[in-house]
Amino acid sequence: MFLFIYVFTTVRDTKDTLVVSNCGAEAIPFLKLYGVMPCATAFIVMYSKLSNALGKQTLFYVTLLPFFVFYGVFAFVLFPNRDVIHFPLAAAEGAAAAGGGALTAATNLMRYWSFSLFFIVSELWASAGVPLLFWQCANDVTPMAQAKRFYPLFAVTGNLAPIVSGKVMSKVISLQKTKDDIGFGATLKKLAVIKAVVGLGIIFIYRNVYAMAEERDRKERTEQSLSTIRGIEETGKVQITMKFEKPKQKLTLRESMKELMQSKELKAMATMVFCYNVCVELTEVLWKSILRKQYPSKSLYMEYMANFSQTVGTVAFLLQLIAPGILNVFGWRGTAMIPPVTMGVLAIAFFAAIIAGEDKIPLAQALLIGTVQNVANKVTKYSLFDPCKEMAYIPLGPDAKTKGKAAVDVLGARLGRSMGSASQQLLVFLVGGPSGSIVNCTPYLGVCYVAAIAMWSKAVGTLGKLFVTPEVKVDNTPRLESIGQAITIIKRIEDAKSEKRKNGNGKKQAKK
């Protein structure tokens, strides 16, 4: 998990720097709705088809490697030739002239198409890296009995990744000879080489983990066979159980989704993922808009994001250390409710600071509140939200763990981001004003945020019922009836003995 999150943190900070610095934060909703969402849908279709044709480990490699190839090509080919491959400024200005501030940001996305492509690929990595590739491997090799103890600890090492990533990025940026695009390009090349090494590390560890899992399964099968042999030697009997299973037909994507969405567990998990991503989208773009005003250059922006990542990693690491205790004390449902409650309280404070205006609350203080809120978004997800969600997959069937998980984690996340983006896009057009600023939409974003938190909490309540041990009601009526009958019989016996003693005493007196 450390290596997956390291790559995620690095590309997240890079994609935001590229797009926000060149296109503005208001461009992100357009890019996520019209760029990321279609690509995520295509990714799911292709992944589902490949899962029917390829083995589990081959599917992992085929999904993993294209990401690292792209990051290398971008750093060494696309970015150095950006002035050649991007559209001219005059063409972009002419296309946006009639649309005002809202369309200017969207037009810039087309002008800087390679930056937009980097953003899209990085968003796909955010959905496919840790949620799909890592957790699918973890679910395959971790027994259910050990999940509650080890799943929170898996993320402990993962939460060190933002700290290391932030330190590495800060060091690489400090080595830039210039703060212009040439120096930034040199930074991208160094980071790409580091990501390639990390990718090789992921492949090496993956192969060894599955080798150890296969060895463990082989030992368990051997122990079962020896136990059976010992039973035969002791009893002298051979018991043979033959189980015939009908070959399972592989379903199409549409058939799989139709079958899997009948599961109330998957529906609840999809709602949780959807609402989390809506909430993140509604605050993140507003925060990045303010951040761009404070730090307009690429290098300063990336340096701030690197420090942000270090803060996220540090807080998440500390929280992760006590996460197993939180699960034991509050249970699954109580732990799963911590992220929406924490995020909701901080988001209300952030929206209130923006609505108050710079006259009452300086922009720097509003940025600080927004930074704390976004730290909470990331920290609660890594430390509590993800482990709780992944625990819910373990009792489900194999299709739910592959296709169902892909649908929930990738499409659910993308739909949530797209819904948040569409809401912001509509608000920017309606109430964004001539400048098309997302800041003008803050009150309406707050209303949407509260609605998403309510849906999220309801889904947690639904899914939480799976982790409540049902109270076994014992019908004591037959037992009480038996006790009553026994008491009646005993009483009759005692009465008979008393009657017999009375009769015996009467006969003795008659004889006298």
Side-chain angles (χ1 to χ4, degrees):
M1 176 174 272
F2 174 89
L3 299 180
F4 275 102
I5 295 181
Y6 178 89
V7 175
F8 164 73
T9 305
T10 303
V11 300
R12 181 194 64 198
D13 296 345
T14 306
K15 73 179 175 63
D16 289 342
T17 301
L18 290 169
V19 173
V20 175
S21 298
N22 290 279
C23 307
E26 289 79 8
I28 293 178
F30 290 88
L31 184 54
K32 289 186 176 180
L33 183 61
Y34 301 113
V36 177
M37 185 60 197
C39 291
T41 304
F43 175 84
I44 288 298
V45 172
M46 185 173 295
Y47 182 85
S48 298
K49 290 184 177 181
L50 289 175
S51 67
N52 290 334
L54 302 177
K56 189 178 298 182
Q57 297 188 31
T58 305
L59 178 64
F60 179 89
Y61 299 134
V62 170
T63 306
L64 178 76
L65 291 176
F67 288 99
F68 292 92
V69 172
F70 171 79
Y71 292 134
V73 171
F74 180 86
F76 288 94
V77 179
L78 296 181
F79 189 83
N81 296 284
R82 60 194 177 281
D83 295 333
V84 177
I85 62 177
H86 288 161
F87 297 116
L89 177 61
E93 290 178 345
L103 282 182
T104 301
T107 306
N108 283 334
L109 291 174
M110 293 184 288
R111 180 192 173 198
Y112 300 105
W113 63 267
S114 68
F115 300 166
S116 300
L117 182 60
F118 188 96
F119 189 98
I120 291 171
V121 173
S122 299
E123 285 287 310
L124 290 179
W125 174 260
S127 299
V130 174
L132 187 60
L133 296 179
F134 172 80
W135 281 115
Q136 184 173 306
C137 173
N139 292 342
D140 285 340
V141 301
T142 307
M144 180 61 180
Q146 300 178 2
K148 192 172 183 179
R149 183 175 62 171
F150 286 110
Y151 269 32
L153 297 179
F154 282 162
V156 169
T157 55
N159 287 329
L160 294 174
I163 304 175
V164 177
S165 175
K167 291 287 186 183
V168 171
M169 291 185 70
S170 297
K171 181 63 177 178
V172 173
I173 292 171
S174 67
L175 296 176
Q176 285 184 200
K177 296 180 180 180
T178 59
K179 296 296 183 181
D180 56 7
D181 285 348
I182 296 176
F184 186 75
T187 297
L188 289 179
K189 290 179 181 179
K190 293 175 183 177
L191 293 176
V193 172
I194 296 172
K195 285 195 286 284
V197 174
V198 171
L200 294 175
I202 290 174
I203 293 173
F204 175 79
I205 295 174
Y206 178 83
R207 290 172 62 89
N208 281 275
V209 165
Y210 265 96
M212 289 187 289
E214 290 174 358
E215 178 67 17
R216 180 193 64 193
D217 294 341
R218 186 187 64 80
K219 289 181 178 179
E220 289 178 355
R221 290 193 298 268
T222 302
E223 182 62 30
Q224 290 176 357
S225 300
L226 293 174
S227 177
T228 303
I229 293 172
R230 286 193 292 268
I232 294 173
E233 292 175 348
E234 292 175 0
T235 61
K237 296 180 180 179
V238 179
Q239 183 177 358
I240 300 177
T241 302
M242 301 183 69
K243 185 178 180 181
F244 297 94
E245 292 185 357
K246 185 179 179 180
K248 199 170 184 180
Q249 182 181 3
K250 292 191 174 182
L251 304 177
T252 64
L253 176 63
R254 180 178 297 180
E255 292 171 341
S256 298
M257 292 302 102
K258 183 178 179 181
E259 180 179 340
L260 293 170
M261 285 300 107
Q262 294 176 356
S263 168
K264 63 179 182 180
E265 294 87 357
L266 286 177
K267 286 181 180 178
M269 282 188 276
T271 302
M272 289 173 57
V273 173
F274 173 84
C275 291
Y276 169 81
N277 284 278
V278 168
C279 292
V280 169
E281 190 67 23
L282 292 177
T283 54
E284 196 172 63
V285 174
L286 182 61
W287 173 65
K288 290 175 182 177
S289 177
I290 299 173
L291 180 58
R292 187 197 182 194
K293 293 181 180 179
Q294 292 290 104
Y295 302 95
S297 72
K298 290 186 181 69
S299 297
L300 291 175
Y301 190 101
M302 179 176 273
E303 188 174 1
Y304 186 92
M305 292 299 297
N307 293 329
F308 170 78
S309 297
Q310 292 180 55
T311 303
V312 169
T314 302
V315 178
F317 177 76
L318 295 176
L319 179 60
Q320 198 65 58
L321 293 176
I322 61 174
I326 294 174
L327 270 170
N328 290 329
V329 172
F330 295 101
W332 187 95
R333 184 173 180 176
T335 304
M337 279 300 299
I338 293 176
V341 171
T342 305
M343 290 169 57
V345 171
L346 292 173
I348 291 173
F350 179 49
F351 290 136
I354 300 298
I355 295 172
E358 294 186 42
D359 296 336
K360 296 182 179 179
I361 299 179
L363 195 63
Q365 292 185 12
L367 177 61
L368 177 61
I369 297 173
T371 301
V372 172
Q373 201 278 333
N374 276 271
V375 168
N377 289 351
K378 304 293 188 294
V379 166
T380 55
K381 181 181 188 296
Y382 302 153
S383 304
L384 303 175
F385 180 84
D386 283 344
C388 286
K389 175 172 62 70
E390 297 306 325
M391 284 176 62
Y393 280 112
I394 297 179
L396 304 182
D399 283 344
K401 290 181 179 179
T402 52
K403 295 179 181 178
K405 182 172 175 56
V408 169
D409 291 346
V410 180
L411 278 184
R414 289 302 107 212
L415 284 172
R417 295 282 180 141
S418 298
M419 179 61 70
S421 298
S423 302
Q424 293 175 92
Q425 190 178 132
L426 181 62
L427 289 172
V428 165
F429 277 115
L430 295 178
V431 298
S435 62
S437 175
I438 191 68
V439 175
N440 297 332
C441 310
T442 303
Y444 306 96
L445 295 176
V447 174
C448 296
Y449 196 99
V450 172
I453 289 291
M455 290 179 58
W456 184 355
S457 301
K458 183 178 179 181
V460 170
T462 301
L463 196 58
K465 296 176 182 177
L466 299 176
F467 294 87
V468 176
T469 304
E471 184 178 350
V472 180
K473 295 183 179 180
V474 180
D475 187 3
N476 290 322
T477 303
R479 184 179 177 184
L480 292 174
E481 291 177 353
S482 300
I483 293 174
Q485 292 174 0
I487 292 174
T488 302
I489 294 172
I490 293 172
K491 187 177 180 181
R492 288 177 180 176
I493 293 173
E494 292 295 330
D495 291 342
K497 289 181 178 179
S498 299
E499 186 68 26
K500 187 176 181 181
R501 283 196 293 268
K502 289 180 180 179
N503 294 333
N505 292 333
K507 290 180 180 180
K508 290 180 181 178
Q509 292 177 358
K511 289 180 180 180
K512 290 181 180 179

